[in-house]
C-alpha cells in the first residue's frame, strides 16, 4: 500500500465531516421541521373531520327520533281524519 493513502483518507474524512455539518445537517433539520408541520396539519384536519362526523351523527340521531316518534304517527292519523269527509 502506498504511504500517501493514510493522509489522503484523513483529509477525505475531514472534508466529509465538514460537508455533512455544513449541508446535510441543516437539510435533515429542515426535513424534520417540515414533517412536524405536515403532521400538525394532518392532525388538525382529522380533528375537523371528527367534529363534522359528530355533528352529522347528532343530526341523524335527531332525525331518527323524529321518524320513530309515536307523535309523528299520531299527527298523521289526526290529519287523515280531518281530511275525511262526513258521510252525510
Amino acid at each position: 500500500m502506498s504511504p500517501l493513502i493514510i493522509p489522503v483518507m484523513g483529509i477525505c474524512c475531514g472534508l466529509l465531516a465538514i460537508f455533512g455539518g455544513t449541508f446535510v445537517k441543516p437539510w435533515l433539520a429542515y426535513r424534520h421541521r417540515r414533517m412536524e408541520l405536515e403532521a400538525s396539519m394532518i392532525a388538525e384536519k382529522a380533528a375537523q373531520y371528527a367534529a363534522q362526523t359528530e355533528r352529522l351523527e347528532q343530526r341523524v340521531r335527531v332525525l331518527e327520533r323524529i321518524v320513530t316518534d309515536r307523535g309523528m304517527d299520531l299527527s298523521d292519523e289526526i290529519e287523515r281524519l280531518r281530511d275525511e269527509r262526513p258521510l252525510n
Side-chain angles (χ1 to χ4, degrees):
M1 280 183 39
S2 172
L4 286 175
I5 197 139
I6 293 174
V8 168
M9 290 300 287
I11 292 172
C12 286
C13 288
L15 289 175
L16 185 62
I18 291 171
F19 177 78
T22 304
F23 296 107
V24 175
K25 189 176 178 182
W27 181 76
L28 289 175
Y30 164 75
R31 294 284 295 174
H32 181 71
R33 178 67 179 144
R34 185 171 153 198
M35 286 174 44
E36 286 177 346
L37 290 174
E38 286 178 3
S40 68
M41 288 173 44
I42 289 171
E44 184 178 332
K45 280 189 177 186
Q48 289 174 352
Y49 288 141
Q52 181 180 7
T53 301
E54 179 62 29
R55 284 192 305 270
L56 291 174
E57 287 176 355
Q58 289 175 354
R59 292 179 72 183
V60 167
R61 278 190 223 114
V62 168
L63 290 173
E64 287 175 343
R65 197 173 31 217
I66 290 170
V67 169
T68 59
D69 187 14
R70 176 65 181 138
M72 185 76 170
D73 294 333
L74 185 60
S75 66
D76 287 342
E77 288 176 352
I78 291 171
E79 288 300 319
R80 202 175 14 201
L81 289 172
R82 283 184 186 159
D83 292 340
E84 288 181 8
R85 294 183 178 168
L87 296 174
N88 293 345

